[in-house]
């Protein structure tokens, strides 16, 4: 989305590096119509080009293999169908297929040290990874909700909350900390911008629980094996719901008749997300634990 000269130059060089080669097979894995992805797939030379049979898509004419899938299926189920079509065989399903980040010893070691330092605050405290940021405002449960959630959790038992996020989450994290300065039995460690995505996933893997918006951290929790609770909206439901065990990786969903709107909200403020209560999230947390 950037338009600066250096950005345009880098984009041009990357595009030429891709389209200047010949391929046996090109696979466009994204179901959503993406003009840039389609242009790249159109312009490269390849023996076979795979995409999905998306109804009424104007961009599919140059693909010689279109794979039929359910538009509402989970994104990983779509990938499974695509890989099966490319390989010409049945691909294992959910019972044996799951994300694996293949974290190395350095990443795991940093995570163990980070979690160990946090746990030394108070013996027996719950170590919570909180992913309160959101790349898209529409998926943000709101800072006020997260403040109340942390207060409630800390009233049940000592709580050490690791605020996991990128540099763009610093202001939101600072606001959370300022509102919780007087909270008892609550220790907050702000990790905004201090970890790479892989290191953040490793840290989440060392926590007792991960809670937050529908964002990277909650998918990382699934891959890392940490129980999780995600606040899930309806814009693209159920394409990105937590993978695998629904008892261990739980959703809080406020189902509405407008689910599947593609985030073209008919209301003022995304009721499917902002309307979820702290009580509802607390119930799912208790179930996940």
């Amino acid at each position: 989305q950037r338009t600066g000269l250096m950005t345009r130059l880098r984009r041009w060089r990357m595009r030429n590096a891709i389209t200047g080669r010949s391929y046996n097979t090109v696979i466009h894995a994204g179901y959503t119509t993406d003009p840039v992805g389609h242009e790249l797939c159109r312009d490269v030379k390849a023996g076979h080009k795979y995409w999905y049979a998306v109804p009424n898509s104007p961009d599919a004419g140059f693909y010689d293999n279109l794979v039929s899938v359910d538009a509402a299926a989970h994104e990983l189920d779509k990938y499974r169908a695509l890989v099966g079509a490319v390989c010409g065989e049945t691909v294992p399903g959910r019972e044996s297929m799951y994300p694996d980040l293949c974290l190395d010893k350095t990443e795991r070691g940093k995570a163990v040290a980070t979690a160990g330092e946090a746990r030394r605050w108070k013996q027996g405290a719950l170590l919570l990874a909180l992913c309160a940021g959101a790349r898209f405002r529409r998926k943000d449960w709101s800072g006020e909700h997260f403040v109340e959630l942390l207060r409630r959790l800390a009233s049940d038992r000592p709580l050490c909350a690791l605020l996991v996020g990128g540099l763009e989450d610093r202001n939101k994290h600072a606001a959370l900390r300022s509102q919780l300065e007087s909270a008892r039995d609550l220790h907050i460690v702000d990790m905004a911008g201090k970890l790479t995505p892989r290191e953040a996933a490793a840290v989440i893997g060392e926590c007792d629980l991960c809670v937050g918006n529908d964002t990277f951290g909650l998918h990382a929790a699934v891959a890392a094996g940490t129980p999780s609770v995600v606040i899930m909206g309806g814009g693209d439901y159920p394409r990105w719901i937590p993978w695998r065990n629904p008892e261990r990786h739980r959703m809080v969903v406020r189902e509405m008749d407008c689910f599947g709107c593609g985030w073209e909200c008919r209301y003022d403020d995304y009721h499917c997300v902002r309307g979820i209560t702290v009580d509802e999230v607390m119930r799912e947390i208790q179930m996940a634990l």
Side-chain angles (χ1 to χ4, degrees), residues 9-132:
L9 178 61
R10 286 197 296 270
R11 190 177 291 128
W12 176 82
R13 292 180 61 185
M14 286 168 29
R15 183 186 184 88
N16 281 357
I18 295 171
T19 59
R21 302 182 182 187
S22 296
Y23 303 86
N24 294 327
T25 304
V26 167
I27 305 168
H28 187 183
Y31 184 87
T32 303
T33 302
D34 168 22
V36 175
H38 283 308
E39 289 171 9
L40 287 172
C41 291
R42 179 196 65 202
D43 294 343
V44 297
K45 297 179 289 292
H48 297 283
K49 297 182 180 182
Y50 286 82
W51 193 46
Y52 303 102
V54 178
N56 304 318
S57 174
D59 307 302
F62 52 87
Y63 296 101
D64 58 335
N65 294 277
L66 294 175
V67 180
S68 296
V69 294
D70 180 356
H74 194 288
E75 211 71 359
L76 291 182
D77 283 325
K78 294 188 177 109
Y79 297 163
R80 175 192 177 198
L82 197 64
V83 171
V86 173
C87 297
E89 59 186 53
T90 301
V91 178
R94 288 173 180 254
E95 67 281 356
S96 58
M97 182 173 69
Y98 61 95
D100 187 350
L101 297 175
C102 300
L103 300 169
D104 62 31
K105 290 184 178 180
T106 300
E107 291 160 340
R108 293 187 184 279
K110 184 173 182 178
V112 169
T114 300
E117 183 177 349
R119 288 186 187 280
R120 282 194 289 273
W121 165 66
K122 185 171 290 188
Q123 187 173 1
L126 177 71
L127 186 58
L128 170 73
L130 185 73
C131 302

Side-chain angles (χ1 to χ4, degrees), residues 126 153 157 208-209 227 229 247 250 284-289:
L126 177 71
L153 286 172
R157 62 185 287 188
D208 301 314
L209 179 71
V229 175
E247 296 300 317
R250 306 184 69 86
E284 295 302 325
I285 287 175
Q286 296 302 324
M287 296 295 291
L289 290 174

Side-chain angles (χ1 to χ4, degrees), residues 126-147:
L126 177 71
L127 186 58
L128 170 73
L130 185 73
C131 302
R135 182 180 177 187
F136 306 108
R137 179 180 172 274
R138 61 202 181 206
K139 294 187 176 184
D140 185 5
W141 190 41
S142 83
E144 293 76 13
H145 279 128
F146 283 115
V147 167

